[in-house]
Amino acid sequence: MATVRPAGKTIYEVTINHVGSLSTLRQREPTVIFFSNLRKAVDAITAELALNNWPPKVNYTAVYRGVKQRDFYSCDFTMAGMRVFRLKIVPRILNPALPRLGIDENPAK
């Protein structure tokens, strides 16, 4: 008989939404990336921000606390007082446990 795992694996969804008045000039779809590990997600974000000369506003401790307390982490990036993009990290369950669907055990033996 097959056993059902009690819970799935947690992955992290990183979304970049372009917001503010600059997004009306240049329409862009949100970018969504998935990571298997929160540390890898934060390291990739930090490296990309540094590569593109954005301030290092994201660190592992802040992201970890935000995810634990609010079930997400969000950070806005601004330029000249205007929001340019929003970074959001949300934990997701990969392959969640199957629900019982309201089916009872078969009483016949």
Side-chain angles (χ1 to χ4, degrees):
M1 182 165 124
T3 356
V4 177
R5 292 188 326 189
K9 178 177 172 47
T10 301
I11 60 172
Y12 297 91
E13 175 185 295
V14 176
T15 306
I16 309 293
N17 278 319
H18 296 274
V19 294
S21 61
L22 292 177
S23 65
T24 58
L25 299 174
R26 186 174 155 196
Q27 294 291 328
R28 295 175 76 175
E29 292 293 319
T31 302
V32 180
I33 306 165
F34 295 93
F35 290 90
S36 61
N37 181 302
L38 187 59
R39 171 63 73 185
K40 289 179 184 179
V42 172
D43 288 348
I45 293 165
T46 304
E48 197 63 31
L49 289 171
L51 186 65
N52 290 296
N53 295 321
W54 286 98
K57 292 173 68 173
V58 178
N59 64 55
Y60 181 79
T61 304
V63 173
Y64 181 82
R65 280 188 195 144
V67 167
K68 286 294 181 190
Q69 292 173 355
R70 297 182 308 271
D71 291 331
F72 72 93
Y73 172 81
S74 180
C75 182
D76 290 344
F77 288 83
T78 59
M79 180 177 61
M82 300 185 73
R83 291 187 313 160
V84 179
F85 65 92
R86 173 176 290 145
L87 171 80
K88 188 169 185 179
I89 302 173
V90 180
R92 301 284 187 205
I93 301 298
L94 181 66
N95 298 328
L98 295 173
R100 299 221 28 218
L101 303 174
I103 300 173
D104 295 329
E105 186 176 335
N106 185 349
K109 293 270 178 184

